[in-house]
Amino acid sequence: MRPMPSIGVLKGKINMKLFTCGPVALYPQVQNVRRKEIMYFRTTEYGAMVKQIMGELTALLGRRDESTMIYLACSGSGAMEAAVENSMSVHDKALVINGGGFGKRFAELLAHHGLQYESLDLKWNEELNEQKLQPFEGRGFTRLFVNLDETTSGKLYDLPMLKDFCSRNQLRLIVDAISSFLVDKNDYSDVDLVLFSSQKGLCCSPGCSFISLSRDFAEEIIAGKNTSSVNMYFDFRDYFKNMERGQTPYTPTVMVMYEVSAMLELIKEVGGLEPWIDKIAHKAEIFRTEALKRGYKIPAFTKSNMLTPIYFDDTLDASQFATKLLQKDYAVCPCGGALSSHLIRVGHAGNISVNDHLQLLDVMDEVRGELL
């Protein structure tokens, strides 16, 4: 049996600085919620709070109809699967933007459920443009699935371009905004389905995901046109019915919803959506400028404010680099697969400041010196 780590090691890891893409460092307002006793949720008071949250999140998305927004007790991947199950019938054919691990996950989910799809495959550092979309014009696709910020690299796709493509080809647009909502400036008003989770831009604990649908797409689902592979737990129709009173058909993530309520108040205190996103963008810009000055390599593709990818050539191993940082109580996101030795990802959302980012760069310089 592997020995348990010492108390000293555990204490250091509990106090680590999180520069991860999710979960992110929690604000004090959220930490205070987590210290409270758990609440009972089958009450009119809890339902009223949930309905208020749904209304405010809908407004932050730039959408108008909160009655077609639901939440699930699951990770972002669970929400992705729920979106696939409820959006697709055996008669539909999906196009997946596959530019990294999460684009690949949409493809894997569609394959798992035996649904028709093709993928537009991009290299990890390759941008999506009109020229790459052109071969898929007029091909009879009915759905397009995209991870707006491909979190494995921080690559940000052009949402207006994708909207235009879907409009021309009469596709339903399903957007995973897990790493982009409340971090990048996007207009989701005419997206058919948008999903996001609690642990990234919302800066809350993991375990809760949200899905907002356009009114006509929700009505199509309620009418039972996309029910070929929907399991009972993820059946949106049941959630729509329960959400009329601010409830879910199954046990929700009660305390996470109280955390979300606290975060929505914090966003209001800083002036709303635009200044909130500007604050994160500023942290990303300062970090990237200083990192380049210090000789770190950052890919040139369009990036989300959520994270900065740092590329290492063969002189340094990115996985080793991330491990060394963790030993010094600074957590960044490593990568898996072919990128494991070449890429780390530094997050900018959450309760971390510009000074925290500059301190991280100082520690990165120490680690670089130790490994070279």
Side-chain angles (χ1 to χ4, degrees):
M1 182 180 293
R2 182 180 297 174
M4 290 290 289
S6 70
I7 296 298
V9 171
L10 285 174
K11 183 177 179 182
K13 295 299 172 277
I14 289 170
N15 293 324
M16 76 174 69
K17 276 282 187 184
L18 286 182
F19 295 88
T20 46
C21 314
V24 302
L26 301 180
Y27 288 90
Q29 292 88 333
V30 172
Q31 292 176 335
N32 289 338
V33 170
R34 296 174 75 228
R35 295 187 181 103
K36 295 180 180 179
E37 187 66 44
I38 194 162
M39 324 289 188
Y40 183 59
F41 59 94
R42 298 298 190 201
T43 64
T44 54
E45 292 80 8
Y46 180 83
M49 182 194 73
V50 167
K51 293 184 80 171
Q52 181 176 343
I53 287 171
M54 293 305 185
E56 292 183 17
L57 289 174
T58 299
L60 289 170
L61 286 165
R63 299 163 78 89
R64 295 182 179 179
D65 193 351
E66 67 268 21
S67 69
T68 58
M69 188 173 208
I70 61 173
Y71 76 107
L72 310 168
C74 67
S75 69
S77 294
M80 291 168 70
E81 183 155 27
V84 165
E85 288 187 330
N86 285 270
S87 297
M88 292 283 292
S89 75
V90 293
H91 306 293
D92 288 304
K93 182 180 178 183
L95 175 62
V96 177
I97 307 301
N98 179 7
F102 291 95
K104 182 181 179 184
R105 186 163 299 172
F106 264 138
E108 290 171 338
L109 287 165
L110 288 157
H112 177 81
H113 288 281
L115 297 164
Q116 298 182 73
Y117 79 96
E118 289 185 31
S119 63
L120 192 170
D121 297 333
L122 302 166
K123 295 176 183 176
W124 75 270
N125 57 353
E126 187 178 6
E127 300 231 37
L128 178 66
N129 55 33
E130 292 279 6
Q131 185 178 1
K132 292 183 176 68
L133 284 169
Q134 199 281 326
F136 299 91
E137 296 270 0
R139 294 270 310 281
F141 294 103
T142 59
R143 308 283 188 265
L144 187 147
F145 289 85
V146 63
N147 308 91
L148 195 56
D149 165 15
E150 178 46 76
T151 319
T152 51
S153 64
K155 181 167 48 179
L156 185 67
Y157 296 121
D158 184 336
L159 183 56
M161 178 182 69
L162 291 170
K163 287 182 183 179
D164 289 344
F165 175 84
C166 289
S167 178
R168 288 195 306 271
N169 291 277
Q170 298 182 314
L171 277 72
R172 293 285 190 187
L173 177 57
I174 292 91
V175 172
D176 165 1
I178 291 173
S179 292
S180 193
F181 177 56
L182 296 179
V183 175
D184 301 307
K185 293 179 180 177
N186 287 301
D187 176 14
Y188 300 101
S189 59
D190 49 355
V191 172
D192 294 290
L193 184 154
V194 57
L195 64 95
F196 56 93
S197 296
S198 54
Q199 79 277 14
K200 296 199 174 185
L202 264 173
C203 305
C204 296
S205 300
C208 184
S209 293
F210 300 83
I211 298 178
S212 174
L213 297 97
S214 63
R215 167 53 56 185
D216 63 326
F217 198 22
E219 289 175 351
E220 183 179 305
I221 290 169
I222 291 167
K225 295 181 179 179
N226 303 314
T227 58
S228 62
S229 61
V230 180
N231 66 52
M232 188 172 76
Y233 185 83
F234 281 145
D235 191 335
F236 286 176
R237 294 168 296 181
D238 205 357
Y239 285 85
F240 290 143
K241 182 178 179 181
N242 278 272
M243 199 53 63
E244 291 174 3
R245 57 193 178 94
Q247 294 289 344
T248 52
Y250 309 103
T251 304
T253 50
V254 178
M255 296 309 290
V256 177
M257 290 301 281
Y258 281 95
E259 293 179 13
V260 172
S261 180
M263 278 305 305
L264 291 172
E265 288 303 312
L266 180 58
I267 292 170
K268 290 177 200 171
E269 287 174 16
V270 301
L273 181 62
E274 189 165 340
W276 180 262
I277 291 177
D278 285 343
K279 184 174 73 167
I280 300 168
H282 178 65
K283 289 188 285 186
E285 181 182 5
I286 295 294
F287 177 83
R288 290 166 186 171
T289 300
E290 183 63 26
L292 289 170
K293 285 180 184 177
R294 298 185 188 210
Y296 293 100
K297 297 178 181 178
I298 300 174
F301 53 71
T302 302
K303 290 173 283 293
S304 168
N305 295 321
M306 170 59 80
L307 66 97
T308 297
I310 303 286
Y311 183 81
F312 295 93
D313 57 26
D314 293 332
T315 59
L316 276 177
D317 184 279
S319 179
Q320 268 190 315
F321 195 94
T323 299
K324 281 277 191 181
L325 284 174
L326 193 61
Q327 290 168 355
K328 296 176 183 290
D329 291 338
Y330 285 79
V332 300
C333 285
C335 279
L339 290 174
S340 62
S341 61
H342 290 293
L343 208 67
I344 63 169
R345 295 162 293 158
V346 177
H348 305 300
N351 188 26
I352 44 176
S353 66
V354 168
N355 283 338
D356 291 328
H357 281 88
L358 296 177
Q359 289 172 13
L360 171 64
L361 282 165
D362 289 341
V363 179
M364 287 172 60
D365 289 345
E366 288 179 21
V367 169
R368 181 169 56 180
E370 292 169 7
L371 291 177
L372 283 175

